[in-house]
Amino acid sequence: MQSFTYERAASAEQAAAAVAARPDAKFISGGTNLLDLMKLEIERPAHLVDISRLPLDRIEETAAGGLRVGAQVRNSDLAADPRVRSRYPMLTQALLAGASGQIRNKASTSGNLLQRTRCPYFYDRNMPCNKRQQGSGCAALQGFNRMHAVLGASEACIAVHPSDMAVAMAGLDARIETISPGGETRTIPIGDLHRLPEATPHVETALGHGEMIAAVTLPPPPPGRQVYRKVRDRASYAFALVSVAAIVEKSGDRIRSARIAIGGVAAKPWRATEAERTLAGAAASDGAFTDAAEAALAGAVGHDGNDFKIPLAKRTMRHTLAAAAESA
Amino acid sequence: MTETKTSNRPRETRSGIIGRPFDRIDGPLKVRGDATYAYETTLEGIAFGYILGAAVAKGRIAEIDTAEAERAPAVLLVMTHRNAPAQPDFGPAVTPTVPEVFTRARPALNSERVRYYDEPVALVVAETFEAARAAAGLIKVRYDEEPGLYDLPAHVADAYAPKRTNAGFETDSVIGDFESAFAAAPVKVDATYRTPFEHHNPMEPHATLAAWSGNELTIHTSAQTLANPGGRRQHASHPARACAHRESVHRRRLRLQADCPCRYNPGRACCAGPAASRQDRADATTDVRQCRSSRRDDPTGASQTAIFSSASGTDTDGRLSGIAHDVWSATSSFEEYCEQTAVFARSLYAAPNRVTRHRLVPLDINRGEWMRSPGEAPGMLAFECAMDELAERLGLDPIELRIRNEPAQDPERGVPFSTRNLVACMEEGARRFGWERRNPTPGSTREGRKLIGYGMAAAIRPNYIGAATARVAIDRDGRVTARLDMTDIGTGTYTILTQIAADSLGLPISSIKVELGDSRFPRTAGSGGSWGAASAGSALHNACNALKERILKAAQSSEASPLRSTNATEASFANSEVRVGQRSAGLADLIRRIAPDGFEAEGSVAAGAATPSYKAYSQHSYGAHFAEVAVDCDTGEIRMRRMLAVMGAGRILNAKTARSQIIGGMTWGIGAALMEQTVLDRRYGHFVNHDLAEYHVPTNGDVPEMEVVFLEEHDDKANPLGAKGLGELGVCGAGAAVANAIYNATGVRVREFPITLDKLLPALPVIAI
């Protein structure tokens, strides 16, 4: 770990300004990902601005009937909030499917969104990795890539975003509120927060240096039944091979609307808009769910080790949609 | 739940202490977090070491620049092959004798050669662990990389037959004419299985703390065994001899202390010893989680990947005419390591024509390390699944197939079994598990969208006994202290030894203190090979007998003794009293009168292999594993539902610690069947998934309800206690039972472990919603 200086931010504006003032500064909150990366010297910040004690730890009702989740709300608290449990059950399911109890107690909402990929080549400084070291190549492309992306990847990077929470939030059309060093704020749809790798996998989000996430706003819960289904290699404490967040709204035997986000398949939570279109107005049937799954994975590309994710994602989506439609 | 099935031959001791499910003596310490790891020993002026590992798997160090690291804050020393003290040569790849495997020189930082990925190339010693780690990151190394061999299947043609396997077994066994028998057999199976590399993932970071005090070097390390033959020298004299300015250190007294589980790590100590000598201070070399595999040094060791060919042929009734179990295993190019993965097959089932063979394929990887249960853990995954395949081909129940091939005597050695209750274990297990509910047609039992399957497998594990000595002392207050250099690696050794001494001396548990893990104590064989309880326990049993003899003799001759002039040759020690004939005395009172300084005695047990009983009898523990799994028909996710093990392992010394041993093994079996593997990148020769997030072991959520049953046994051929090894029995065959249950659930036979969902998925039908 490289030596660093540390300050505790007094306010959101001051935190943003403090990071913006130094190119080698970073925000730290729960530290559940950053500290690991610093020990391995994959992250080498010279200055840390601690935002974990900022008064951004509230969950508030919005005028529109949704919830505004402060960036510093811990994952455990968000999962346990009665309003989240009753109105956004798939968010609670996703949070509780992630990490371990200890990690969820430390991890913040914004930190969860901004956690970095667990690609083992990214984690290994001896290995080529375009995300860690621009232009060095991608060892995963022809390597051990069982956990890697089948959608939206590039020749430069096939890493996935590991969050469960973000997948549920993508399905819920969450919006990200940020604050910039000058104090100005802006709102980013969650679908625009993470970037696909293209030729610049080291650029992971739309945030500028020093721009800090202040809150995540959840619109009023959409009609329909919500289900989050995570498929993993063991029962607990494993990243998703594939996950599906689905909300199905029915009218009689027909589907009125559906929202679907897939995790474990791309560098961002993957919103399956084609599949959603396929389902709108269709009869709630095995055939419709199968068609939707085919549509969602139509552009998927495997790299040998992760080929199985394509049929796995389809099968998972099919039965998750069926589960969401069952009593919707 | 656990129970010991009672039979018409109960073997209760006088006190009833042996066998009872006493809580672990060290349990409260562990639960409270007060049990210390080796590196937690507090010493003045401790320095910390961090090992930098090679970034290539084969080649040589062309240039190593340590200048920046040496200038880094708080750095005390940077050691590389250029400035490390002289050490003995590594020597030949094949260690001349089996005992020398544990004592041979394994120098570190002694050459510019890189033989495997992450081999230590530098050691940084600093005031803090963080400073050492940071400085290691400043060392610049340029390598001349050479192409290496990393792919076992691609190089099977280069396999060779070693002279022996680990533990000194014959490489091959050939009886009769397997080829002809197999060719003529009306029913046969020829299946190829693969097992992956697996790395140890102990809770305790591997660390070694070395400290000089005058001319005495004390090493605190995590080790199973302090005294392999010549072990004291093995563990300390290499680093010690390496210290040129402290010549002859190896002749001085060296203190080794094993505070915790795990295997001793030669590489680390070889670094820690010289570093301590150079610094005249204590030096702890520890690692971070990423070192768990082969990263940042070679700390924990791996079970080697292997290919198994299991072929068998039967008559139409399912009687084996021939059985062959061949293995091709990876080994390192510089030190041969041949796990005995076919040896168990020599004793398991009857067949007139039989072959077992071990072959090795040298790769540019680190040497393998013993992972429990060496031989059976990977070997039985293949062998017991192949038996399941054979049963299906015959249309026979897997238990019935095994019963039909139950041998009357050891099928290869031709000697009787000491005790063998495999059939009883299977039958009792079948009854308890509800085996009759198993649907013999695979893939045909569904509950909702889960496919349900039952599987079973046999368990076998050799019973060993290692040479051991124990010293036991009683003081004037009747307090007993037993000392031996045995270790308790989480197995319950402290507790069972306490029970053995209390039972023998007729004293309460609270009067007994057992002290372990210090090389100043009498030598034992340590923990390994499931021989700890039998070896150390028998030595202590004999030591207590010797102590009782001394007490009796003195009691009969001492002027101050209330038992003076009794002439019986035997005394009974019970309820804290000594009774000779009609007279008795309180033990503490007696000692106070006749020996105010107390008494001390030693007892020993010889290595089993040298005894007539071992030569005359085939000695193994046996068991039967049962598993029920549920497989998600949409995703292929496999989740355990329940497991049962019925074991016949001689006399059970403590029903609770024995059960804990078995459920630990069963849990490991789940890991082997479903998730454990380290992936070797065939391009770079490095292990890719080298932390606990990516190297999966079972979590609580993966472990189902487990039931363990011990059949009543007393093996009087094995040792004075009648106990047999059971530490590793729980893992032997457990994974195969899980794998067979997966087949029963799905109809998909995956022959490459671990069985992850991606291997099932292509063959899982899409079931209508």
Side-chain angles (χ1 to χ4, degrees):
Chain A
M1 187 184 280
Q2 181 178 294
S3 293
F4 58 89
T5 52
Y6 168 92
E7 71 175 285
R8 194 175 289 172
S11 70
E13 295 79 2
Q14 188 249 323
V19 169
R22 297 182 57 165
D24 54 4
K26 276 193 112 57
F27 299 111
I28 185 166
S29 181
T32 59
N33 188 208
L34 181 61
L35 289 176
D36 286 352
L37 293 167
M38 287 170 66
K39 287 176 187 171
L40 297 169
E41 300 198 11
I42 293 157
E43 295 269 17
R44 299 163 59 91
H47 186 65
L48 288 180
V49 178
D50 186 347
I51 56 173
S52 65
R53 290 171 176 80
L54 292 179
L56 301 172
D57 57 351
R58 304 251 163 73
I59 303 172
E60 297 159 330
E61 300 279 350
T62 65
L67 289 178
R68 184 174 181 275
V69 181
Q72 294 308 317
V73 173
R74 303 290 127 181
N75 288 177
S76 296
D77 295 334
L78 184 58
D81 187 279
R83 294 162 294 181
V84 174
R85 290 175 55 172
S86 64
R87 286 150 64 184
Y88 306 96
M90 107 184 162
L91 179 55
T92 290
Q93 291 163 18
L95 282 158
L96 295 181
S100 65
Q102 293 95 326
I103 291 171
R104 293 194 294 269
N105 287 343
K106 284 294 284 178
S108 67
T109 304
S110 55
N112 187 317
L113 287 171
L114 299 178
Q115 67 179 302
R116 307 198 69 188
T117 184
R118 279 3 185 244
C119 172
Y121 299 100
F122 169 71
Y123 262 71
D124 190 335
R125 288 173 62 214
N126 292 334
M127 291 292 134
C129 171
N130 289 319
K131 189 186 278 297
R132 180 169 29 77
Q133 194 179 354
Q134 276 177 263
S136 59
C138 172
L141 212 53
Q142 266 98 44
F144 178 59
N145 53 31
R146 187 170 174 273
M147 297 299 290
H148 288 69
V150 292
L151 287 166
S154 71
E155 286 298 297
C157 182
I158 57 170
V160 294
H161 192 264
S163 171
D164 290 295
M165 180 197 80
V167 178
M169 284 182 171
L172 293 166
D173 285 319
R175 298 174 71 79
I176 314 299
E177 283 179 33
T178 71
I179 183 161
S180 286
E184 58 272 23
T185 61
R186 66 165 172 154
T187 300
I188 307 169
I190 189 167
D192 295 340
L193 176 67
H194 299 101
R195 291 198 179 188
L196 291 178
E198 297 175 350
T200 53
H202 61 289
V203 183
E204 295 177 353
T205 71
L207 302 180
H209 184 65
E211 185 175 8
M212 190 187 83
I213 296 176
V216 175
T217 301
L218 301 173
R225 183 160 185 240
Q226 304 176 12
V227 177
Y228 185 78
R229 175 71 164 95
K230 178 177 184 175
V231 181
R232 46 183 155 178
D233 279 324
R234 61 180 170 187
S236 172
Y237 196 52
F239 293 105
L241 294 166
V242 157
S243 68
V244 174
I247 308 172
V248 175
E249 179 198 4
K250 277 200 329 194
S251 171
D253 289 339
R254 302 200 86 77
I255 296 166
R256 190 192 293 264
S257 71
R259 293 153 187 255
I260 306 161
I262 318 175
V265 293
K268 60 190 287 187
W270 192 265
R271 187 70 184 258
T273 47
E274 275 305 313
E276 293 173 9
R277 268 197 285 278
T278 310
L279 285 172
S285 67
D286 196 351
F289 305 141
T290 303
D291 290 347
E294 289 295 333
L297 276 298
V301 179
H303 296 85
D304 290 343
N306 64 352
D307 286 348
F308 75 98
K309 280 193 173 185
I310 299 170
L312 178 64
K314 290 178 188 172
R315 295 173 75 125
T316 307
M317 187 185 294
R318 170 174 165 264
H319 84 83
T320 306
L321 287 169
E326 208 161 73
S327 54
Chain B
M1 63 171 281
T2 313
E3 59 185 88
T4 301
K5 192 172 174 257
T6 50
S7 75
N8 53 8
R9 198 176 59 129
R11 283 261 178 182
E12 283 301 306
T13 53
R14 286 179 311 277
S15 67
I17 285 177
I18 290 186
R20 265 165 57 189
F22 280 104
D23 288 348
R24 281 181 195 216
I25 283 165
D26 49 330
L29 280 178
K30 289 188 170 173
V31 172
R32 290 198 306 260
D34 290 340
T36 51
Y37 287 145
Y39 73 94
E40 291 175 322
T41 306
T42 309
L43 294 171
E44 281 293 307
I46 194 166
F48 293 83
Y50 188 85
I51 296 168
L52 178 68
V56 299
K58 189 177 186 185
R60 45 182 295 281
I61 300 166
E63 215 178 308
I64 184 161
D65 178 1
T66 57
E68 205 181 337
E70 282 160 16
R71 284 195 305 270
V75 168
L76 303 165
L77 169 73
V78 180
M79 189 186 286
T80 70
H81 68 279
R82 294 181 313 196
N83 63 343
Q87 298 168 72
D89 287 339
F90 189 87
V94 181
T95 313
T97 66
V98 173
E100 285 170 276
V101 168
F102 300 96
T103 60
R104 67 174 291 166
R106 292 194 180 89
L109 303 177
N110 67 328
S111 158
E112 80 284 356
R113 288 295 315 170
V114 174
R115 304 169 300 173
Y116 61 93
Y117 201 95
D118 208 42
E119 180 169 12
V121 297
L123 169 71
V124 181
V125 182
E127 298 285 359
T128 66
F129 173 73
E130 289 75 16
R133 182 176 58 189
L138 300 173
I139 298 172
K140 294 178 197 68
V141 192
R142 191 169 63 75
Y143 300 93
D144 287 337
E145 196 174 352
E146 297 163 19
L149 306 178
Y150 311 116
D151 190 356
L152 171 66
H155 302 291
V156 162
D158 303 328
Y160 71 94
K163 286 208 173 61
R164 58 160 193 269
T165 76
N166 285 354
F169 292 103
E170 296 288 331
T171 303
D172 296 354
S173 71
V174 178
I175 290 178
D177 178 359
F178 169 77
E179 299 297 335
S180 303
F182 186 71
V187 183
K188 56 185 112 181
V189 159
D190 185 358
T192 301
Y193 281 81
R194 276 189 68 184
T195 57
F197 288 102
E198 290 182 7
H199 276 77
H200 289 93
N201 283 277
M203 287 172 68
E204 175 175 13
H206 268 258
T208 296
L209 182 63
W212 288 100
S213 173
N215 285 324
E216 184 174 300
L217 177 66
T218 303
I219 293 177
H220 305 261
T221 192
S222 54
Q224 286 176 219
T225 300
L226 302 189
N228 290 309
R232 278 149 235 258
R233 194 173 293 181
Q234 166 224 343
H235 289 153
S237 72
H238 293 154
R241 268 188 306 206
C243 310
H245 64 291
R246 288 181 183 274
E247 80 275 36
S248 307
V249 164
H250 62 286
R251 289 205 298 271
R252 298 186 183 130
R253 190 174 62 162
L254 300 170
R255 184 175 169 219
L256 289 165
Q257 195 157 11
D259 297 315
C260 58
C262 320
R263 179 186 52 82
Y264 172 76
N265 173 0
R268 191 186 314 283
C270 289
C271 288
S277 75
R278 291 278 301 268
Q279 293 299 313
D280 284 318
R281 63 192 296 179
D283 174 290
T285 310
T286 186
D287 61 5
V288 293
R289 285 280 160 183
Q290 279 69 22
C291 301
R292 282 310 161 81
S293 305
S294 145
R295 301 319 306 276
R296 303 296 161 256
D297 70 4
D298 59 334
T300 61
S303 171
Q304 304 293 283
T305 185
I307 298 169
F308 295 92
S309 168
S310 217
S312 51
T314 69
D315 64 18
T316 48
D317 288 335
R319 285 186 179 77
L320 286 162
S321 53
I323 194 157
H325 187 57
D326 289 278
V327 54
W328 293 263
S329 176
T331 185
S332 90
S333 59
F334 59 89
E335 186 178 355
E336 184 174 285
Y337 178 88
C338 182
E339 187 170 339
Q340 63 273 36
T341 43
V343 168
F344 69 89
R346 296 171 187 170
S347 299
L348 195 47
Y349 301 120
N353 303 289
R354 41 203 311 134
V355 175
T356 63
R357 286 181 287 236
H358 299 82
R359 295 293 178 269
L360 293 176
V361 178
L363 301 179
D364 291 300
I365 55 175
N366 194 5
R367 192 196 67 148
E369 286 290 347
W370 295 268
M371 182 177 277
R372 306 294 114 194
S373 167
E376 291 82 10
M380 292 190 83
L381 278 177
F383 190 80
E384 283 295 285
C385 284
M387 281 297 279
D388 203 61
E389 295 196 47
L390 184 62
E392 191 193 21
R393 199 149 295 179
L394 285 157
L396 265 187
D397 184 277
I399 293 175
E400 179 58 28
L401 171 63
R402 287 166 172 87
I403 290 172
R404 288 188 190 179
N405 292 287
E406 172 70 7
Q409 58 177 12
D410 188 291
E412 301 212 0
R413 288 181 58 205
V415 298
F417 297 110
S418 58
T419 52
R420 173 170 164 128
N421 277 310
L422 175 57
V423 171
C425 288
M426 292 190 294
E427 289 177 338
E428 180 68 15
R431 191 180 66 73
R432 287 170 177 268
F433 199 70
W435 183 249
E436 76 283 356
R437 294 198 299 274
R438 172 182 180 266
N439 186 337
T441 309
S444 56
T445 304
R446 257 179 69 191
E447 286 179 21
R449 298 193 72 76
K450 305 285 185 210
L451 299 163
I452 309 301
Y454 286 20
M456 64 82 55
I460 179 172
R461 171 72 200 169
N463 180 62
Y464 296 120
I465 192 161
T469 300
R471 186 182 306 133
V472 61
I474 186 164
D475 72 10
R476 53 179 292 140
D477 297 318
R479 289 179 307 218
V480 171
T481 306
R483 291 194 173 102
L484 50 174
D485 80 355
M486 180 61 185
T487 56
D488 186 334
I489 59 173
T491 47
T493 310
Y494 281 112
T495 312
I496 58 158
L497 292 181
T498 302
Q499 288 173 262
I500 288 167
D503 177 74
S504 174
L505 299 169
L507 289 170
I509 289 281
S510 57
S511 296
I512 313 292
K513 187 170 186 219
V514 173
E515 295 181 0
L516 306 176
D518 191 315
S519 62
R520 294 170 297 190
F521 299 160
R523 184 175 295 191
T524 70
S527 304
S530 299
W531 67 9
S535 309
S538 296
L540 181 58
H541 175 87
N542 290 342
C544 289
N545 282 345
L547 183 68
K548 289 193 288 191
E549 257 175 54
R550 281 202 67 183
I551 294 171
L552 176 62
K553 199 175 268 180
Q556 289 175 327
S557 60
S558 166
E559 302 255 337
S561 169
L563 302 177
R564 185 155 192 261
S565 301
T566 54
N567 52 12
T569 52
E570 275 200 41
S572 111
F573 287 68
N575 302 317
S576 305
E577 282 188 348
V578 187
R579 176 171 292 278
V580 185
Q582 295 305 307
R583 284 153 71 184
S584 68
L587 181 56
D589 182 56
L590 178 68
I591 301 291
R592 204 170 298 126
R593 286 167 186 261
I594 64 176
D597 296 332
F599 284 119
E600 195 173 273
E602 282 195 354
S604 293
V605 64
T611 62
S613 167
Y614 203 80
K615 294 189 176 103
Y617 294 94
S618 171
Q619 299 185 17
H620 297 82
S621 301
Y622 296 90
H625 286 286
F626 293 81
E628 180 182 338
V629 303
V631 179
D632 189 297
C633 72
D634 293 301
T635 64
E637 286 165 295
I638 303 155
R639 298 292 181 255
M640 301 303 303
R641 287 198 152 183
R642 60 194 177 107
M643 291 179 89
L644 162 70
V646 181
M647 300 303 191
R651 184 185 183 194
I652 301 305
L653 301 175
N654 178 319
K656 182 178 273 188
T657 58
R659 174 181 186 269
S660 295
Q661 294 265 76
I662 298 298
I663 63 172
M666 293 159 79
T667 303
W668 211 342
I670 296 170
L674 300 184
M675 56 192 86
E676 280 201 55
Q677 71 171 325
T678 347
V679 177
L680 185 70
D681 191 314
R682 286 172 295 194
R683 301 165 299 170
Y684 306 106
H686 80 299
F687 287 108
V688 182
N689 55 329
H690 49 75
D691 62 32
L692 284 169
E694 307 300 337
Y695 183 95
H696 284 183
V697 297
T699 64
N700 286 344
D702 296 297
V703 181
E705 182 191 328
M706 287 179 169
E707 189 184 356
V708 178
V709 177
F710 295 107
L711 298 187
E712 174 84 11
E713 265 189 32
H714 184 103
D715 193 328
D716 58 4
K717 312 293 188 302
N719 53 60
L721 297 169
K724 287 196 290 195
L726 63 76
E728 290 156 279
L729 188 59
V731 72
C732 301
V738 175
N740 292 336
I742 293 167
Y743 177 75
N744 183 243
T746 61
V748 184
R749 182 68 73 178
V750 177
R751 296 189 182 84
E752 186 174 347
F753 290 96
I755 304 175
T756 46
L757 65 86
D758 47 307
K759 296 171 189 167
L760 281 182
L761 206 58
L764 281 187
V766 175
I767 297 174
I769 285 170

